Amino acid sequence: MAKGIVALQKLREQAATLKKYHPDWSFNKIGKKIGCRHSFVSRWVRRDQACEPLHDQSRSGRPPKADVAAQEHIVMAAQLPECRTAADVAAKLQQDQHLSFSVTTVKRVLRQHGLQHLSPVARPMLTDSHKLARVKFAKAVLRRDKTSKRRWLNTDSKIFHLHKMGRPLRRWCSPRARGTVPRPKHNIAAHVYMGICYWGVTKLMFVTGTHKQVSKFVNPKSKRLYAGVGSSEYSEVLSQMFVPEGNRLFQQAGQWADKWQLQQDNAKPHKTATNMAYIAENVPGGHFLTWPACSPDMSPIENMWAWMEGKLHKEYQPKNVEELKDSLEQIRQSIPASMLHNMFDGFQARMQRVVDLDGEYINM
């Protein structure tokens, strides 16, 4: 039996076992636990509940052309840097080992072994100084008490678009049946600030960058209105939203009302002397540790943004900027407390992961 088939069999058994011991767990949660899609978990759990076997049934027809040894050669060839496509893998096997397989066979074998044809995720390049700063920050967090993260208000901004601008899915078809995908010439957007903590979520504040919302502040150097959020506008975000909302959340929780801290990224408008002085005077615990540059993967609010964006395009169909704002507010109100607890309780593990990888990007 091929190595990939054995691993697949183990995943099926793990999915069925977890569902037996944790009947309240969803298929999605089990899938994240074992690293599979929820559809895979759903299929094999239901088969197990119906007392059907979890192993593959014997099939009629000719035996597969790629035996166990050939499958191993295909998988090994696919991991070579020069083999970017299934056609490259087939050509490499033909050239080096005189094994003749069609591109379709190569694709089928790779899929059976859990491989997908994916492109790397583009991220800012981390220099050695970036990595050192990330490790230093993570170690500083790990030295603190585990409950200290519960007095931390994590803040950030996000631009939500009215239309989802993802890359169209590919499919096999003739050129005439290719079809078209409509794309807006000008995608309406809403630029919003929000903060999250263990105890709840702040209200939303829409700022410059939102459709038809122009800054009222003038850049002293160019003598023109700011094209984005400047220092003066961020001062309003602090005084009108983050500080009052932070006080409200921690006072309602009855925890850390006189010690809570504000976390923000290193955007220039956030780090001006005026804004930092305001935080020191009006936030009881002051500013959180200086956040390392190029490190959005370390912040739990990035997971929240991704969840909100997915929910927006899946469950809401806003037609204009006002409906987009209303949809975001409804999503904000539906954020479950358990999600916030999981995000902040898992922050220690996130920091430990950064240390273990010597400052490289993490996938959490």
Side-chain angles (χ1 to χ4, degrees):
M1 185 179 291
K3 183 178 179 181
I5 298 176
V6 174
L8 197 62
Q9 179 69 23
K10 288 183 179 180
L11 287 177
R12 297 170 185 172
E13 295 172 355
Q14 288 178 5
T17 303
L18 284 174
K19 190 63 177 177
K20 287 179 181 177
Y21 285 100
H22 304 282
D24 56 323
W25 283 15
S26 65
F27 295 141
N28 191 33
K29 184 173 182 179
I30 296 175
K32 288 183 179 179
K33 203 76 174 176
I34 63 176
C36 294
R37 294 178 179 271
H38 72 278
S39 56
F40 174 90
V41 177
S42 171
R43 176 185 178 186
W44 294 105
V45 166
R46 289 196 171 108
R47 284 191 64 170
D48 181 67
Q49 291 173 345
C51 299
E52 296 180 5
L54 298 181
H55 58 271
D56 289 328
Q57 301 292 324
S58 59
R59 295 176 173 85
S60 60
R62 74 168 181 82
K65 185 176 182 180
D67 57 12
V68 174
Q71 291 184 24
E72 292 180 355
H73 287 305
I74 292 174
V75 172
M76 291 175 63
Q79 297 173 0
L80 297 175
E82 61 268 25
C83 294
R84 292 179 171 269
T85 65
D88 293 339
V89 175
K92 184 72 174 176
L93 292 172
Q94 177 68 37
Q95 177 183 351
D96 295 351
Q97 303 182 33
H98 304 290
L99 296 174
S100 178
F101 295 107
S102 67
V103 174
T104 302
T105 300
V106 172
K107 288 181 178 180
R108 175 175 52 80
V109 171
L110 294 177
R111 290 193 187 106
Q112 287 177 349
H113 285 72
L115 301 181
Q116 301 179 45
H117 194 229
L118 304 174
S119 58
V121 178
R123 285 175 172 168
M125 184 179 295
L126 291 176
T127 63
D128 291 340
S129 60
H130 287 149
K131 296 176 184 178
L132 288 173
R134 285 164 60 88
V135 172
K136 182 179 179 181
F137 176 87
K139 289 182 176 179
V141 172
L142 291 172
R143 285 194 296 267
R144 296 191 171 197
D145 180 57
K146 290 185 178 180
T147 60
S148 63
K149 58 186 175 296
R150 298 188 180 184
R151 60 187 177 102
W152 167 36
L153 182 66
N154 185 204
T155 66
D156 196 13
S157 70
K158 168 75 174 176
I159 298 178
F160 291 92
H161 292 94
L162 187 67
H163 303 283
K164 190 175 181 180
M165 300 293 287
R167 189 174 181 178
L169 296 176
R170 296 187 177 187
R171 63 187 182 94
W172 296 104
C173 63
S174 65
R176 291 185 177 182
R178 183 179 183 180
T180 60
V181 176
R183 296 180 70 89
K185 186 175 181 180
H186 303 290
N187 200 358
I188 295 175
H191 188 192
V192 60
Y193 272 92
M194 187 182 77
I196 63 172
C197 68
Y198 186 87
W199 312 104
V201 185
T202 69
K203 67 180 183 180
L204 303 177
M205 186 166 181
F206 296 94
V207 294
T208 302
T210 301
H211 183 64
K212 292 187 177 180
Q213 184 168 333
V214 182
S215 177
K216 59 183 178 181
F217 299 100
V218 177
N219 188 325
K221 294 183 179 179
S222 64
K223 308 300 181 183
R224 297 179 179 178
L225 294 175
Y226 280 103
V229 176
S231 173
S232 300
E233 186 171 7
Y234 186 69
S235 297
E236 289 190 348
V237 175
L238 286 172
S239 60
Q240 297 178 17
M241 199 265 281
F242 282 152
V243 172
E245 285 291 287
N247 288 328
R248 177 184 66 83
L249 289 171
F250 288 96
Q251 287 172 5
Q252 286 181 354
Q255 300 280 342
W256 312 106
D258 57 342
K259 293 183 179 180
W260 70 273
Q261 294 180 304
L262 181 76
Q263 180 275 323
Q264 57 183 7
D265 59 26
N266 290 323
K268 287 185 178 180
H270 302 175
K271 303 289 288 184
T272 59
T274 303
N275 288 336
M276 294 301 291
Y278 180 86
I279 292 173
E281 293 176 4
N282 295 275
V283 177
H287 185 255
F288 191 65
L289 296 171
T290 301
W291 198 263
C294 301
S295 301
D297 58 315
M298 295 169 61
S299 177
I301 199 171
E302 296 296 333
N303 299 77
M304 181 62 72
W305 290 136
W307 179 83
M308 292 178 66
E309 188 169 32
K311 195 174 181 68
L312 173 68
H313 294 296
K314 184 177 181 180
E315 301 182 13
Y316 297 83
Q317 289 80 36
K319 296 180 175 58
N320 52 55
V321 69
E322 294 304 323
E323 291 186 8
L324 177 60
K325 291 180 179 180
D326 293 340
S327 300
L328 291 172
E329 177 59 28
Q330 294 177 34
I331 294 171
R332 182 194 72 85
Q333 295 177 6
S334 69
I335 295 174
S338 59
M339 180 185 294
L340 297 170
H341 296 170
N342 290 337
M343 285 182 177
F344 284 90
D345 285 339
F347 190 66
Q348 294 287 112
R350 191 184 291 258
M351 295 299 99
Q352 186 61 53
R353 180 73 172 159
V354 173
V355 175
D356 294 342
L357 293 177
D358 295 327
E360 292 287 352
Y361 281 119
I362 58 176
N363 294 316
M364 297 187 73

